[in-house]
Amino acid sequence: MVKFDIRNLNIWFGPVHSLKEVNMAVEANEILSIIGPSNSGKTTFLRMLNRLNELQPNFKMAGFVEYDKKDIKNINVELLRRKVGTVFALPLPLPLSIFDNIAYGVRMYGAKNKRELSEIVEDSLKKAYIWDEVKDRLQESAFKLSGGQQQRLCIARTLAVEPDVILFDEPCSGLDPISTAKVEEAMLKLKQDYTIVLVTNNVKQAARVGDRTAFFLSGELIELDKTEKIFTAPDDERTDGYIRGKFG
């Protein structure tokens, strides 16, 4: 099942042509890894999926992007960003308790009684694989958590509002190997119920968790295939060169 269908996508920021004639699909319940050097268009592609690029005043787009067979331009932007949530590179907990960080979005989208909120908070923290570490600390400030715990808290906060797709923008860039492994473990479990798009500068991470991998270069989609093929027998020599560290 296709979750996103992207056809003839072009994106500009002022005179800069950031994405050029991108044609691809994102399949349901997969982890799609997006790799490529800096300024290759990876994050622009990711932010296009829930229209975050529109926050830039000089943004312009041509082409078609469909989410569940609906043109994203015709979907209410708040609803789209609820269904297609984002976890950013740096964890951004709110200056609230652990409990209220998770409950914040739920309350914003519709008040829930205390029992419902408690169930949602617990379920979300369990799905993000952090419940056992914080279940006795729910009223403490989220800022007391380690960086890796804060990132999983942000994943839980995204899950609490019942998304369909989760976008990860270099979620482990500032984390140590142990915290990175826990975030990756969470992603692998979450794909059973969610579609995941992961932008990462760590090609080893892309290889570890991605079902398919897309390689972007200078705003172009160079290659998209099963991750094993991309990393063992890519069709394009530029893909091979990037993976081998010859440039980037």
Side-chain angles (χ1 to χ4, degrees):
M1 177 182 172
V2 171
K3 184 58 61 177
F4 283 98
D5 187 19
I6 297 116
R7 303 188 304 275
N8 306 117
L9 175 67
N10 288 269
I11 289 178
W12 295 264
F13 293 99
V16 179
H17 198 175
S18 295
L19 286 180
K20 306 166 186 175
E21 289 296 317
V22 174
N23 290 275
M24 62 184 291
V26 179
E27 298 175 1
N29 299 102
E30 75 167 342
I31 299 178
L32 175 64
S33 296
I34 309 289
I35 61 172
S38 298
N39 299 314
S40 61
K42 305 187 301 295
T43 295
T44 297
F45 174 81
L46 195 77
R47 291 168 63 89
M48 171 272 303
L49 296 175
N50 63 357
R51 296 174 55 182
L52 282 175
N53 288 319
E54 294 178 15
L55 298 174
Q56 300 292 327
N58 57 352
F59 164 76
K60 178 183 172 185
M61 171 181 150
F64 299 91
V65 181
E66 290 185 345
Y67 164 61
D68 281 345
K69 299 183 179 180
K70 297 178 182 177
D71 190 330
I72 62 170
K73 290 183 289 187
N74 297 329
I75 301 174
N76 176 276
V77 70
E78 289 187 4
L79 174 62
L80 179 65
R81 290 175 188 163
R82 177 180 177 181
K83 300 303 291 182
V84 185
T86 304
V87 177
F88 296 98
L90 294 176
L92 298 170
L94 301 169
L96 302 168
S97 70
I98 293 169
F99 183 97
D100 287 334
N101 260 269
I102 308 303
Y104 182 84
V106 182
R107 290 180 175 129
M108 185 171 66
Y109 286 118
K112 303 281 184 179
N113 64 45
K114 189 174 181 179
R115 181 178 176 182
E116 285 179 302
L117 278 176
S118 294
E119 290 175 351
I120 291 169
V121 168
E122 179 176 345
D123 182 60
S124 301
L125 290 168
K126 284 180 175 177
K127 286 180 177 178
Y129 292 87
I130 191 176
W131 170 252
D132 289 340
E133 298 168 45
V134 302
K135 61 184 178 182
D136 299 321
R137 306 169 56 189
L138 295 179
Q139 299 309 315
E140 288 186 16
S141 169
F143 293 139
K144 290 187 177 181
L145 298 175
S146 69
Q149 289 173 326
Q150 287 184 13
Q151 191 62 294
R152 281 179 286 146
L153 178 78
C154 291
I155 294 171
R157 190 175 65 202
T158 298
L159 295 174
V161 297
E162 300 180 337
D164 183 37
V165 179
I166 307 172
L167 311 178
F168 286 91
D169 189 5
E170 299 180 34
C172 303
S173 60
L175 303 185
D176 61 75
I178 293 175
S179 296
T180 294
K182 289 182 177 180
V183 171
E184 290 177 3
E185 179 185 4
M187 283 192 277
L188 289 168
K189 295 290 179 64
L190 288 169
K191 77 171 183 177
Q192 297 174 25
D193 300 306
Y194 305 90
T195 299
I196 293 173
V197 184
L198 166 67
V199 163
T200 179
N201 285 325
N202 185 336
V203 293
K204 291 182 179 179
Q205 180 176 69
R208 285 193 297 265
V209 303
D211 296 295
R212 295 191 301 152
T213 295
F215 172 56
F216 280 76
L217 182 65
S218 300
E220 297 181 25
L221 173 62
I222 303 301
E223 192 165 352
L224 169 61
D225 213 321
K226 291 182 178 179
T227 294
E228 183 179 5
K229 185 176 186 305
I230 289 286
F231 280 86
T232 58
D235 291 330
D236 194 290
E237 62 181 14
R238 291 170 293 180
T239 308
D240 185 65
Y242 177 73
I243 289 170
R244 291 177 182 273
K246 293 181 179 178
F247 66 93

